[in-house]
Amino acid sequence: MFGRDAYSGGGGTIAAGVFLHFLVAIIWSAIFFVAFPRIPVLRRNKWLVGCAYGIAVWLLMNFVVLPLTQVPPLNFTWQGVVTGLLIHMFVVGVTIVFMVRRWYRADMALD
């Protein structure tokens, strides 16, 4: 959205970045929330599904969403890839799956 100017922006740029980051997280959560009751495989092993969803989010963000923005590409490092994947698997994917399963638990007789 701001391109390279994001690195020199002030408080407004920081606030916009935080807002956009959480907006994207809410969108990924909403996608899983809507898909969960419709796709039976999503109700299987919560750890495996969470890790797989985190990987899917990381791949789509890095190879589809971010290239459509003005964000300058980062330098490729294997450490960055592994760190990004692990964060998205366990912080994003597993968290989303656990929250959605908890929401639907009563209706679907989960766990």
Side-chain angles (χ1 to χ4, degrees), residues 25-93:
I26 289 168
I27 291 168
W28 284 115
S29 299
I31 290 168
F32 191 85
F33 184 85
V34 170
F36 186 78
R38 292 166 175 80
I39 303 172
V41 72
L42 298 179
R43 295 188 293 275
R44 293 197 180 152
N45 185 301
K46 55 191 165 197
W47 289 97
L48 185 60
V49 170
C51 289
Y53 193 65
I55 291 169
V57 169
W58 185 88
L59 288 169
L60 288 166
M61 286 302 299
N62 281 281
F63 294 107
V64 178
V65 176
L66 289 177
L68 296 173
T69 69
Q70 295 182 34
V71 174
L74 297 173
N75 294 328
F76 176 87
T77 65
W78 282 109
Q79 180 182 1
V81 170
V82 170
T83 301
L85 283 170
L86 288 173
I87 289 170
H88 281 82
M89 286 167 61
F90 295 105
V91 177
V92 177

